[in-house]
Amino acid sequence: MNETKTSEDAARLLAIVQSSQDAIISKKFDGTITSWNAAAEKIFGYTASEAIGQNIAIIIPEELYPEEREIIAKVKGGEVIAHYETIRKRKNGDKIIIALTISPIKDAGGKITGISKIARDISDETEAKRKESMLAAIIDSSDDAIISKTLNGIITSWNVAAQKMFEYTESEAIGKHISIIIPPGRIAEEAVIIENIRQGNKIDHFETVRVSKNGKEINISLTVSPIKDKNGKIIGASKVARDIAEKAEAEKQRQLFTQKLQALNDYKDEFIAIASHELKTPVTVVKANLQMLEYKMANDANVEFVYKTLAQVNKLSELINSMLDVSKIQFGKLHLYTAVFELDTLLKVIVENMQQTTLGHEIICKVCDETLLANADSKRIEQVMVNLLTNAIKYSPNHGDIIVDAIKTDGNIIVSVKDNGIGIPAGDIDNIFSRFYRVSGAAAGFSGSGIGLYISAEIIKQHGGKIWVESEAGKGSVFYFSIPAID
């Protein structure tokens, strides 16, 4: 009967050992493994047949051999070592963190004959604790208030920054409703936020106002995210609140500055319009008198001074006209007087006239013989072309050919002016058509007002077309514009 009971007890014990989720291993004092359960196979990767008879060193990192000798010495003395955390290694060489409980094995006479080890893999648990500790440290050191709450609005966590921002201590806040920091007029926001959280939606950078313990209103940016349990059920919400008082003040100052800048800009545009208009009449009179003087002094040796003065007056007149165009554009008064005309013919005439102004450049007109009909303001299109050709001549100090071309494609006429001049730096191309913009680099050494291309761009824009440039510094530029064609 006793033998039967002993056999049953042994079988039961063996079943418990084999079904355990923990590795249960026995060994001799010399380290020889004498038993190895199923969990040990799973944790360490060795089958029982591979492990039994081998030295326990097969699962111990070499640098921890001294630790094993200390353990054996303690167990020989009858000591039980419980929950000892250490490192062991798997068959594939991977190291794992385990919790060991080590006990002496005694024979019927009480003599210690070996050692039993129960090993639990706590790698995942340890990593989870490490991440949890790291997360807690990040939350506590954050400059943003980080708060968690239930779906009923009850505060469940409150970091250091939340205490600093809202002036409630952690003990004062936890367990209270989140409404302690919401102004009465904004309570409805909380219902909207919670409804979004219940549906699994995250709220990003929601700018609102909250209130501190002493009643001070705080401009904040809120990010609210759902909190889920291990089964994926939404059980609460986390809030990250950033104080944006400085940002709000900066935005206020920016708006004031923008308003003042706009007012100054309006004054400037008004001044330009008035000054240009008032200058136009006296310059016209001066020009007329100079032309009369030029006629009367035709045979006078001093007529050269009249020529030079008249040339400068012409430049001044062109600048005044350009400034008037700028003011018209700014006030929406640049009107077009459109009519159907042959653009190809106009381009040829413009090229012939511009050729008379330069001896060092050859302006080649490659416009095809096809009639290119356009319904446009011919004087304004001529103004654009003269500006592009003048620039091509000015910015090609080493002379070279300037090529004018025009084609009809996809219902548009595309006109191009190509030069082999100094080109435009890549960083300037995006701004080349901006008002008063001056190109950097080599072009900065050339005189100019920075309004010609701006006016050209506005003229083409009002025609329903586009204007653009392709250029490379040191290799020249090609300016293009397109306007709708007439079939």
Side-chain angles (χ1 to χ4, degrees), residues 127-188:
E127 180 63 14
K129 286 181 179 178
R130 185 189 70 81
K131 289 180 178 179
E132 185 178 335
S133 298
M134 184 182 297
L135 182 60
I138 290 170
I139 289 172
D140 277 340
S141 63
S142 174
D143 291 331
D144 296 332
I146 301 176
I147 304 165
S148 62
K149 63 180 181 180
T150 67
L151 293 177
N152 294 321
I154 304 301
I155 298 168
T156 54
S157 73
W158 187 265
N159 76 336
V160 174
Q163 179 173 321
K164 183 178 178 181
M165 185 180 295
F166 299 111
E167 299 177 342
Y168 290 96
T169 64
E170 184 179 19
S171 60
E172 287 176 320
I174 291 178
K176 298 292 194 307
H177 194 272
I178 195 69
S179 59
I180 62 172
I181 63 169
I182 302 176
R186 292 182 177 268
I187 289 294

Side-chain angles (χ1 to χ4, degrees), residues 6-157:
T6 299
S7 178
E8 288 176 353
D9 288 344
R12 188 179 299 109
L13 180 61
L14 180 60
I16 292 170
V17 169
Q18 287 300 325
S19 62
S20 173
Q21 297 298 308
D22 297 331
I24 301 177
I25 304 166
S26 62
K27 63 178 182 179
K28 298 177 182 179
F29 288 123
D30 64 3
T32 303
I33 298 168
T34 54
S35 72
W36 188 266
N37 74 338
E41 291 187 354
K42 183 178 179 181
I43 292 172
F44 297 108
Y46 293 96
T47 64
S49 60
E50 289 175 320
I52 293 173
Q54 298 293 322
N55 193 283
I56 196 67
I58 62 172
I59 62 168
I60 301 175
E62 187 174 348
E63 65 273 16
L64 294 181
Y65 287 173
E67 174 190 271
E68 180 66 9
R69 289 193 290 270
E70 290 177 12
I71 290 172
I72 290 174
K74 288 180 180 180
V75 176
K76 276 185 175 180
E79 186 176 340
V80 173
I81 300 172
H83 309 300
Y84 177 71
E85 293 188 10
T86 186
I87 304 293
R88 290 297 180 259
K89 65 178 182 181
R90 293 191 172 102
K91 183 179 179 180
N92 64 6
D94 290 346
K95 291 183 178 180
I96 57 173
I97 304 171
I98 63 169
L100 279 176
T101 296
I102 308 159
S103 307
I105 299 174
K106 299 178 181 179
D107 62 14
K111 180 182 177 183
I112 298 173
T113 59
I115 300 170
S116 73
K117 287 188 176 185
I118 300 175
R120 174 169 292 177
D121 184 353
I122 58 170
S123 299
D124 291 343
E125 180 183 333
T126 303
E127 180 63 14
K129 286 181 179 178
R130 185 189 70 81
K131 289 180 178 179
E132 185 178 335
S133 298
M134 184 182 297
L135 182 60
I138 290 170
I139 289 172
D140 277 340
S141 63
S142 174
D143 291 331
D144 296 332
I146 301 176
I147 304 165
S148 62
K149 63 180 181 180
T150 67
L151 293 177
N152 294 321
I154 304 301
I155 298 168
T156 54
S157 73

